[in-house]
């Protein structure tokens, strides 16, 4: 199965359809009037589709088990056709397209089975996905080409050449992958004045995004939040709440990070932990949606 442990929970929706083609209008009339010998065709198919949606992962090997929050099966008669529409919702880490299509296909099979004694030419056609929402495919495109960014590593040992930096370089690569082509990189010791000098320098250059990595922990030398806080003109608590919550599901000590985030006038400042693993988690939790703050700040709305 595909690894989805890195993904986040979002609202996912899918709508699928299937068509039953009959060969006589009398067949459709029998369905409408409830006179099919095997029983109420549409209600049997509806119940079967609901069971199929819930059991998709049991019969499709690569599908992940997921909570089905909502499911609806609707029908429309058009000439000799019986059109089935299945809609499924979940709040999970992967989509429900296959669940919706599985429900539509089973509903179609049940209708076929119940109609074949009275219509030898009935057939199933066009099982298809009509719509999906949620996940990456539904994310709005965020303009990043004109953004400038900087990554600052806060570490005594890295600044002294005792250790090699991995988290900062990982951040530079991650921001480049988001389409931000202009990313500066530097290293400072765990020192309040050194960190604040970087903030002032990048603000004067008109930098859009400044990301610190390191110094958000609990040791006496972890001073990044204290250095950054006086420069925050508009705090955005939800950013780090989201990152810590994402991390907490994977590493129980994520709650100990003291990172803060917010605007310093027009520059967004993020403070990440110093470990490369935590940086990977924070990037996965926050990007690209965190970059939406720039259009919101300009007044474009949510």
């Amino acid at each position: 199965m595909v690894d989805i442990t890195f993904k986040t929970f979002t609202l996912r929706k899918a709508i699928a359809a299937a068509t039953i083609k009959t060969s006589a209008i009398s067949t459709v009339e029998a369905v409408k009037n409830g006179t099919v010998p095997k029983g109420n065709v549409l209600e049997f198919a509806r119940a079967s589709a609901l069971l199929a949606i819930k059991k998709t992962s049991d019969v499709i090997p690569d599908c992940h088990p997921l909570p089905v929050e909502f499911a609806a099966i609707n029908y429309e008669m058009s000439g000799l056709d019986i059109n089935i529409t299945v809609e499924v919702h979940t709040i999970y880490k992967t989509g429900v397209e296959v669940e919706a299509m599985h429900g539509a296909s089973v509903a179609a099979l049940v209708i076929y089975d119940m109609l074949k004694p009275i219509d030898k030419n009935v057939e199933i056609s066009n099982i298809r996905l009509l719509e999906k929402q949620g996940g990456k495919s539904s994310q709005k495109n965020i303009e990043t080409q004109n953004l400038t960014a900087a990554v600052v590593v806060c570490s005594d040992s890295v600044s002294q050449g005792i250790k090699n930096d991995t988290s900062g370089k990982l951040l530079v690569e991650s921001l480049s992958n988001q389409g931000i082509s202009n990313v500066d990189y530097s290293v400072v010791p765990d020192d309040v004045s050194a960190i604040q000098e970087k903030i002032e320098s990048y603000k004067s250059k008109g930098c859009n995004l400044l990301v610190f990595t390191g110094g958000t922990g609990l040791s006496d030398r972890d001073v990044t939040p204290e250095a950054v806080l006086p420069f925050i003109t508009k705090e955005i608590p939800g950013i780090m709440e989201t990152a810590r919550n994402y991390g907490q599901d994977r590493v129980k000590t994520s709650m100990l990070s003291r990172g803060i985030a917010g605007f310093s006038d027009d520059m967004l400042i993020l403070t990440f932990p110093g470990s490369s693993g935590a940086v990977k988690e924070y990037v996965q939790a926050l990007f690209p949606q965190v970059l939406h703050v720039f259009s919101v700040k300009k007044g474009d709305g949510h």
Side-chain angles (χ1 to χ4, degrees):
M1 296 172 72
V2 175
D3 184 3
I4 61 170
T5 55
F6 64 92
K7 292 188 175 184
T8 55
F9 284 74
T10 57
L11 175 60
R12 316 273 184 142
K13 300 180 181 180
I15 302 175
T19 300
I20 299 292
K21 293 186 174 293
T22 68
S23 63
I25 196 67
S26 59
T27 304
V28 177
E29 291 299 320
V31 172
K32 289 181 179 178
N33 299 329
T35 57
V36 176
K38 283 193 172 185
N40 190 318
V41 173
L42 301 184
E43 289 309 309
F44 267 107
R46 189 190 311 277
S48 298
L50 289 172
L51 290 172
I53 291 166
K54 297 174 183 177
K55 294 291 186 179
T56 299
S57 64
D58 290 352
V59 295
I60 309 294
D62 203 37
C63 276
H64 296 82
L66 50 76
V68 176
E69 313 282 0
F70 170 81
I73 294 87
N74 294 297
Y75 305 102
E76 182 184 79
M77 312 290 182
S78 177
L80 298 179
D81 295 345
I82 303 171
N83 298 307
I84 307 161
T85 304
V86 176
E87 182 170 354
V88 183
H89 299 182
T90 188
I91 298 177
Y92 196 59
K93 296 183 287 186
T94 189
V96 283
E97 305 96 285
V98 176
E99 283 74 11
M101 294 180 72
H102 188 215
S105 63
V106 169
L109 280 168
V110 170
I111 293 174
Y112 173 89
D113 178 65
M114 296 182 74
L115 294 184
K116 60 184 172 63
I118 65 172
D119 188 340
K120 299 302 181 184
N121 296 312
V122 66
E123 64 179 51
I124 298 171
S125 69
N126 296 329
I127 298 171
R128 60 208 179 275
L129 180 68
L130 298 180
E131 180 184 334
K132 62 172 288 190
Q133 298 178 31
K136 286 186 177 180
S137 61
S138 295
Q139 288 177 350
K140 292 183 178 180
N141 290 327
I142 299 173
E143 179 60 48
T144 59
Q145 291 181 343
N146 296 324
L147 294 179
T148 59
V151 171
V152 177
V153 178
C154 301
S155 170
D156 288 333
S157 57
V158 174
S159 66
Q160 294 168 10
I162 299 172
K163 290 177 61 177
N164 292 322
D165 167 56
T166 55
S167 60
K169 292 174 182 176
L170 177 61
L171 260 174
V172 171
E173 181 183 356
S174 299
L175 294 177
S176 297
N177 291 339
Q178 297 297 326
I180 303 175
S181 57
N182 188 358
V183 183
D184 196 23
Y185 169 86
S186 59
V187 178
V188 296
D190 289 302
D191 177 76
V192 171
S193 61
I195 295 169
Q196 292 182 341
E197 284 175 9
K198 285 294 181 183
I199 298 173
E200 292 171 345
S201 173
Y202 285 117
K203 281 189 70 173
S204 67
K205 294 176 182 177
C207 182
N208 302 116
L209 173 64
L210 175 56
V211 187
F212 289 98
T213 173
T216 62
L218 299 172
S219 77
D220 292 341
R221 294 292 293 172
D222 288 327
V223 294
T224 303
E226 287 77 12
V228 170
L229 188 57
F231 289 85
I232 298 295
T233 55
K234 183 169 288 186
E235 192 172 2
I236 313 175
I239 292 178
M240 287 305 153
E241 288 170 5
T242 297
R244 277 188 286 267
N245 185 60
Y246 181 91
Q248 190 68 21
D249 287 337
R250 292 152 180 84
V251 180
K252 290 306 179 183
T253 53
S254 179
M255 62 182 175
L256 302 179
S257 175
R258 300 184 302 114
I260 61 174
F263 273 106
S264 180
D265 294 325
D266 292 327
M267 182 173 69
L268 178 65
I269 302 179
L270 306 177
T271 55
F272 285 14
S275 77
S276 58
V279 166
K280 288 179 182 178
E281 290 175 358
Y282 276 41
V283 168
Q284 186 63 44
L286 300 178
F287 288 87
Q289 56 270 25
V290 72
L291 299 177
H292 183 54
V293 298
F294 295 108
S295 60
V296 174
K297 188 171 176 57
K298 289 192 298 184
D300 293 344
H302 289 280

